[in-house]
């Protein structure tokens, strides 16, 4: 299609190479590349189509050029050609719908290439498919072969098969994809009667899927396959332990037909090519629906019968009393049945057998014993009867006897092992043994009742208890544990908590006392005694002076402590208080006490003596001064005159001072002295000057 033999192409390439080597200065340019579709780009299926590619090249020597043409459809290369001609073509004969698409060609000359424009080829119409059947008269549900083909088409095709009833619309019965232009497959028809089969196909194009016309129609006549089984069960009334016979057969003879007897999807029996007869001794539990099913090739038919086996006596019932038996209690196992048809046999001939763990325990309907671990196990009973000289038996469901363990005496424990008086806490009530569930009931000191139910070993009965205010209140606690309503509960007393629990009581309010008293004399020693009425040991006492802060601290196992202070001084006067604390971590503070440190007695005496001496000195000094003035007066002077001149002035001055002392200013005037001349009785003696103290 536009290209020569491979040998010619090779010779052409070698010639071109030689020419180029002779003329290395060859130059060229690809001007245009054109694509055309002949006879036209829109044709009917089966038309011969040519895709032509033309190259226009300008060159210094056109005869030396070689062309490589590449044809592409929808971007995929479909044909190549090497030639010295500047045009070639790709032939499609005949053109089919699968050849529709967008075409383009690429021209390469040495190291240069150029693409043509794109043109679309649209091939109209699909070949009408042809349908073939290998059997036009199949039985219902029998498989037969159908073939749909389109010999002239190319590519992958998807085939559809249809059935059409008279005066009806086509119904698609199968759809399948093929990599070829035909498909052979199998179909089945379940209806009985005539219908018409046909087919078509689909092809996927770039523009989308396209469907062909419908093929020829072929009439198919589906025949009924009468293989419905006939089924009988004998006898009609069935009592245990009768033997029954079930028969399944078909009216037509087919060598490879299979017959099955089913119950609850289990195959009881099976035959091929002959009737099925099944004999067995059914139990009442076998009552139900029996199914007889036939199968030939791909065709199946079935029939149903209900089997009902009447019980002469019921399945034994084994009863345990009490159901929740505890170790140490008596229990009773009793086996019983109900007789439905006493006329069938004598109920007195029934025999009872009791079994434990598969071993016969006793030949009786009743078993009584005291529960313990050795009697735990799986019990059952079997009842034997005889009818029409045939013995049969029935077994009860098993009963498990596992004696429960009685609850042990409970124990009360405090969570954390500590109780702080005045604060809430948690109590755990626990029994070491006992079958769950166990019900714990706690009675608190204030009469409150709390209940906890424990159903698993990993759980505990934990109670949130309100605060106690006295240690003795623990004695009122009670915990009852019970897992058996038929026996009294076990009890734990709160009294034992006093020995097993660290009870921490906060200290009472402390009292501070001063020894020997609150009136202290300087130099004395004093004790600051801090005491409490109650509180858990150890107790920490701390003493404070309001003006100086902490004085001392003491930890003791007693209810009081003291801090000694020797050689009291005035600075020790003031207010004192103390605090108390213990592991309850609730510090308490006393009322403040005022301490007054008084002056020492010898100091007071010394001050008194000193003041007395000072007053005495002043008195003597005044007395001496006045006495000296008297002795200095002339002897002629009369006492009256002297008294008037000296003493009267002094006295009057003193009185004046006393009277005015309340009105004098804070600073008194300095005393002034006046010179007084006194004539002596002896005129011969000179005048003597006397200084008189006067106050202004």
């Amino acid at each position: 299609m536009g290209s020569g033999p491979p040998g010619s192409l090779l010779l052409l390439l070698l010639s071109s190479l030689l020419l180029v080597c002779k003329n290395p200065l060859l130059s060229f340019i690809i001007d245009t590349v054109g694509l055309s579709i002949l006879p036209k780009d829109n044709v009917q299926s089966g038309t011969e189509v040519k895709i032509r590619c033309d190259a226009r090249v300008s060159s210094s020597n056109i005869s030396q050029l070689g062309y490589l043409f590449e044809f592409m459809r929808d971007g995929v290369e479909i044909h190549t050609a090497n030639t010295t001609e500047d045009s070639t073509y790709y032939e499609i004969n005949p053109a089919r719908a699968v050849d529709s698409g967008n075409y383009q060609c690429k021209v390469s000359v040495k190291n240069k290439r150029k693409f043509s424009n794109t043109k679309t080829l649209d091939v109209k119409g699909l070949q009408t498919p042809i349908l073939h059947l290998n059997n036009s008269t199949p039985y219902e549900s029998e498989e037969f072969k159908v073939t749909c083909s389109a010999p002239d088409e190319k590519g992958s095709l998807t085939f559809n098969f249809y059935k059409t009833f008279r005066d009806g619309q086509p119904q698609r019965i199968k759809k399948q994809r093929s990599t070829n232009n035909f498909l052979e497959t199998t179909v089945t028809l379940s209806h009985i009667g005539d219908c018409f089969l046909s087919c078509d196909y689909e092809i996927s194009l770039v523009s989308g899927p396209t469907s062909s016309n419908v093929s020829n129609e072929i009439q198919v006549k589906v025949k009924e396959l009468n293989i419905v089984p006939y089924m009988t069960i004998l006898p009609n009334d069935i009592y245990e332990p009768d033997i029954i016979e079930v028969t399944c057969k078909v009216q037509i003879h087919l060598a490879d037909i299979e017959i099955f007897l089913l119950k609850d999807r289990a195959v009881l029996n099976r035959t091929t090519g002959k009737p099925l007869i099944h004999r067995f001794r059914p139990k009442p539990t076998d009552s139900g629906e029996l199914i007889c099913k036939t199968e030939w090739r791909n065709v199946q038919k079935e029939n149903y019968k209900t089997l009902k086996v009447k019980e002469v006596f019921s399945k034994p019932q084994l009863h345990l009393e009490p159901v929740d038996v505890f170790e140490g209690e008596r229990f009773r196992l009793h086996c019983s049945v109900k007789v439905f048809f006493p006329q069938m046999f004598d109920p007195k001939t029934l025999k009872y057998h009791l079994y434990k763990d598969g071993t016969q325990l006793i030949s009786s309907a009743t078993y009584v014993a005291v529960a313990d671990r050795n009697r735990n196990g799986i019990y059952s009973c079997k009842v034997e009867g005889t009818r029409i000289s045939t013995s049969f038996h029935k077994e009860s469901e098993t009963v498990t006897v596992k004696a429960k363990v009685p609850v042990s005496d409970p124990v009360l424990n405090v969570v954390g092992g500590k109780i702080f008086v005045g604060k809430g806490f948690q109590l755990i009530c626990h029994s070491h043994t006992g079958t769950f569930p166990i019900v714990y009931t706690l009675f608190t000191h204030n009469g409150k009742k709390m209940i906890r139910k424990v159903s698993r070993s990993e759980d505990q009965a934990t109670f949130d208890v309100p605060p106690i205010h006295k240690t003795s209140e623990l004695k009122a606690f009670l915990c009852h544990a019970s897992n058996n309503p038929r026996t009294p509960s076990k009890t734990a007393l709160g009294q034992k908590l006093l020995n097993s629990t660290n009870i921490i009581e906060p200290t009472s309010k402390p009292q501070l006392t001063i020894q020997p008293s609150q009136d202290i004399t300087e130099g004395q020693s004093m004790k600051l005694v801090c005491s409490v009425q109650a509180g858990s040991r150890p107790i920490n006492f701390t003493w404070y002076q309001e003006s100086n802060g902490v004085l001392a601290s003491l930890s003791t196992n007693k209810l009081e402590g003291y801090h000694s202070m020797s050689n009291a001084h005035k600075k020790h006067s003031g207010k004192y208080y103390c605090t108390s604390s213990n592991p309850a971590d609730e510090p308490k503070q006393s009322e403040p006490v005022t301490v007054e440190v008084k002056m020492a007695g010898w100091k007071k005496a010394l001050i008194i003596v000193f003041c007395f001496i000072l007053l005495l000195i002043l008195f003597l000094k005044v007395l001496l001064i006045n006495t000296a003035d008297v002795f200095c007066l002339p002897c002629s002077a009369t006492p009256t005159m002297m008294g008037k001149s000296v003493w009267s002035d002094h006295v009057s001055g003193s009185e004046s001072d006393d009277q005015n002392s309340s009105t004098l200013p804070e600073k008194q005037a300095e005393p002034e002295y006046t010179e007084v001349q006194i004539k002596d009785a002896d005129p011969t003696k000179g005048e003597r000057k006397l200084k008189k103290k006067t106050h202004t």
Side-chain angles (χ1 to χ4, degrees), residues 317-321 332-336 354 365-367 381:
Q317 297 290 323
L318 184 60
H319 300 279
L320 171 65
E321 297 177 356
R332 179 176 180 266
L333 285 167
H334 180 68
C335 185
S336 63
L354 280 171
T366 304
Y367 174 70
C381 73

Side-chain angles (χ1 to χ4, degrees), residues 643-658:
K644 184 177 182 182
S645 61
V646 177
W647 293 107
S648 62
D649 291 342
H650 176 73
V651 172
S652 62
S654 299
E655 292 174 354
S656 175
D657 290 340
D658 293 338

Side-chain angles (χ1 to χ4, degrees), residues 409-621:
D409 291 334
V411 177
L412 274 173
N413 291 304
V414 177
V415 176
K418 294 180 181 180
I419 294 178
F420 294 90
V421 176
K423 292 184 178 179
F425 57 97
Q426 288 186 320
L427 277 179
I428 295 177
C429 191
H430 175 67
S431 295
H432 293 289
T433 59
T435 302
F436 298 106
I438 301 174
V439 177
Y440 295 92
T441 305
L442 180 71
F443 295 91
T444 66
H445 62 293
N446 57 2
K448 187 176 180 181
K449 178 181 177 181
M450 292 181 278
I451 299 175
R452 298 288 184 273
K453 185 176 181 180
V454 176
S455 301
R456 302 182 302 170
S457 59
E458 56 267 28
D459 294 337
Q460 289 183 323
T462 304
F463 301 91
D464 293 322
V465 180
I468 61 171
H469 301 285
K470 295 179 182 178
T471 303
S472 60
E473 291 177 348
L474 287 176
K475 298 178 182 179
F477 282 77
L478 288 175
C479 179
H480 298 293
S482 176
N483 66 347
N484 185 357
R486 297 184 296 275
T487 59
S489 60
K490 301 294 180 68
T491 303
L493 301 177
Q495 174 73 33
K496 296 183 179 180
L497 288 173
L498 297 174
N499 300 325
S500 63
T501 307
N502 183 11
I503 303 172
I504 300 174
E505 182 179 0
T507 64
S508 60
K509 184 175 182 179
Q511 183 179 4
L512 180 64
T513 57
I514 310 297
Q515 294 179 358
S517 66
Q518 294 176 223
D519 294 332
I520 304 297
T521 304
E522 284 184 318
Q524 279 187 312
S525 295
M526 65 175 178
K527 281 186 180 180
L528 305 179
V529 180
C530 192
S531 61
V532 294
Q533 297 297 319
S536 298
R537 283 74 159 177
I539 301 175
N540 296 319
F541 294 104
T542 306
W543 290 267
Y544 299 84
Q545 184 181 9
E546 286 189 349
S547 59
N548 291 327
V550 179
L551 298 177
S553 293
L554 173 67
S555 179
T556 179
N557 287 323
K558 299 180 180 180
L559 293 177
E560 69 173 25
Y562 66 88
H563 171 60
S564 297
M565 300 176 65
S566 59
N567 194 19
H569 196 270
K570 192 69 177 176
K571 66 181 180 180
H572 293 146
S573 297
K575 290 185 177 182
Y576 290 81
Y577 65 93
C578 70
T579 61
S580 62
S581 63
N582 66 356
D585 197 22
E586 294 184 15
K588 302 288 178 61
Q589 179 178 320
S590 70
E591 296 294 335
V593 175
T594 302
V595 174
E596 183 179 356
V597 180
K598 297 181 179 180
M599 187 178 295
W602 66 270
K603 286 187 178 181
K604 292 181 181 179
L606 184 61
I607 292 173
I608 293 172
V609 172
F610 177 77
C611 292
F612 179 77
I613 293 173
L614 182 60
L615 289 174
L616 182 61
I617 292 173
L618 291 176
F619 177 76
L620 291 176
K621 183 177 180 181

Side-chain angles (χ1 to χ4, degrees), residues 54 69 108 117 200 202 215 231 291 295 305 372 401 439 459 477 548 556 595:
D54 296 288
F69 292 90
S108 299
N117 57 325
D200 66 8
E202 300 173 4
S215 71
M231 184 177 183
I291 302 174
E295 183 177 49
K305 286 283 185 178
D372 58 28
V401 175
V439 177
D459 294 337
F477 282 77
N548 291 327
T556 179
V595 174

Side-chain angles (χ1 to χ4, degrees), residues 226-230 248-254 257 259 275 294:
N226 190 13
I227 59 172
V228 176
Y230 175 73
C248 295
K249 59 184 178 179
V250 294
Q251 295 179 353
I252 63 174
H253 177 72
L254 296 171
I257 190 170
I259 304 176
T294 57

Side-chain angles (χ1 to χ4, degrees), residues 55 57 62 65-69 81-87 107-109:
V57 179
I62 296 178
L65 295 178
Y67 301 87
L68 174 62
F69 292 90
N82 283 293
T83 179
T84 57
E85 300 294 330
D86 59 359
S87 66
V107 176
S108 299
V109 179

